[in-house]
Amino acid sequence: MKAIIVHGGAGRWGEERLKHALPVLKEAAEVGYSLLDEDPVKAVEEAVKVLEDSPYFNAGKGSVLSIDGSLEMDACIVRDNPRLVGAVIGVRRVKNPISLARIIAERTSHHVMYGEGAERIARLFNLPEGNLITDYARRRLERVREKLLKEEVGDDLSLMAKTIDLIRKYPDLFIGTVGAVATDGRSVVAGTSTGGTSVKLPGRVGDTPIPGAGTWAENGCGASATGIGEGIIQMLLTKTLCDRVAYGTPLKEAAEELVRRTEYPVGVIALRRNGEVVFAYNTDFMPVALKTEEKKEVEVYGVQGKSSRT
Ligand code: GLY
C-alpha cells in the first residue's frame, strides 16, 4: 500500500504562519506521493525539499539560527530495505541539506558527514547554494536573546537550566524541523531536515542527523521526529519505535507511548509498509499532511490542538 506523511514541526504555531505553511505542507505530500512509484527515496527527498525551500519551516531557507547568529543545518535520510543511511551535520550554505544526506548515503562509503567536508561533497555534486538566513530568523533570534538576557544567568549550569526552562515556557520559539516518511509497499524511507533549536550553542548537534534518534527506517517501519532534539536523543525515539513495532507493539501505541514518556516537547510521524500511518505529539500543534491510496485528497491534521491518530 502506498502512503506518505509529512510534518512541519511540533510546537505552538501562530495562525498567520500556519496559514502560509499548510498549502506548502500539502504540496510536499502531493509531490512526494507522485514520485512513489518511481523511487521512494526520491519521493521523500523531494517532499522534504519543498519544505526546505519555504521560509515557513525550520529547515533550509527558514532555518533558525544558533545563539551567535550562525546557521547550522542538519538532515538525514534512511531506507529500510535495501539499507540506505545518509546524514549531514552543521552545513551552512547548502540549499537542500536532505539532498546532500542522500548523496552521502548513495555516493560515499560513509553514513554521516559534517561541516566543511560535507560542504565539499555538496560542491562536488553541484548542489545549489543559497542565502538561507531570513529576516524572520534574525528577528526570532533577537527575541530569544532578549528573553535570555532578562533571566539572571550565573554559571554555565544555571544557563543550561534556564535555557531548558525557556524552552518549556516558549515552545513556539523553538518550533522546528520538517520530515517525511513514505512507502511504495515494498520499502520504507524516512527523511528529516532542520535548522536545529533557537538557543543552541554553535556546534550543538540535535536528533535529526543521528540515525535512530530523529530519523530511522527498519523492518517495514519508518519514523521522523521533531521537537527538542535532546529529548529525542535520550530515547533514540525513531529506532526504539521501529524496534517496538518489530516486537509486536501496535504502531499507534508505540508512537503515543514514546512521545508521552519524553520530558521535552516532541512529536513523531511514522508508517508501516502496509500503509498504516500514525502521528503523535505532546505540543500544542504539529501540522502533518498525509496521502494514501485510499483517499484522493491530501489530509491535514495536527492544527487544532493536541491529538493523535492512526
Ligand atoms: N529536532 C531538531 C533539533 O532538536 O535539532
Side-chain angles (χ1 to χ4, degrees), residues 200-211:
K200 67 179 178 177
L201 298 175
R204 172 262 190 193
V205 178
D207 60 298
T208 297
I210 300 180

Side-chain angles (χ1 to χ4, degrees), residues 64-198:
V64 298
L65 306 177
S66 299
I67 198 72
D68 66 348
S70 64
L71 174 76
E72 293 175 314
M73 299 172 291
D74 307 327
C76 182
I77 193 158
V78 180
R79 181 181 59 208
D80 66 338
N81 188 21
R83 169 68 71 215
L84 184 85
V85 180
V88 61
I89 296 175
V91 287
R92 294 167 188 263
R93 292 178 290 273
V94 181
K95 184 166 159 279
N96 296 110
I98 193 73
S99 298
L100 182 53
R102 181 179 181 182
I103 285 173
I104 288 165
E106 291 182 337
R107 308 297 293 272
T108 79
S109 308
H110 309 311
H111 286 331
V112 184
M113 292 187 72
Y114 80 95
E116 187 47 41
E119 302 253 12
R120 251 188 262 162
I121 298 291
R123 286 195 290 276
L124 194 67
F125 285 89
N126 296 317
L127 287 188
E129 297 188 346
N131 176 14
L132 304 165
I133 301 184
T134 60
D135 288 344
Y136 180 75
R138 280 202 190 91
R139 284 200 301 274
R140 187 151 72 164
L141 177 62
E142 278 320 306
R143 285 213 312 272
V144 172
R145 278 185 176 146
E146 271 169 34
K147 286 183 196 304
L148 273 174
L149 288 174
K150 275 186 202 150
E151 305 274 342
E152 281 178 27
V153 175
D155 56 26
D156 287 351
L157 277 181
S158 80
L159 175 62
M160 287 315 290
K162 285 174 193 299
T163 300
I164 289 166
D165 258 6
L166 196 76
I167 287 166
R168 289 192 174 130
K169 265 190 235 153
Y170 302 100
D172 54 322
L173 291 178
F174 307 96
I175 214 156
T177 310
V178 301
V181 192
T183 183
D184 59 355
R186 292 181 293 274
S187 57
V188 175
V189 181
T192 316
S193 182
T194 189
T197 55
S198 298

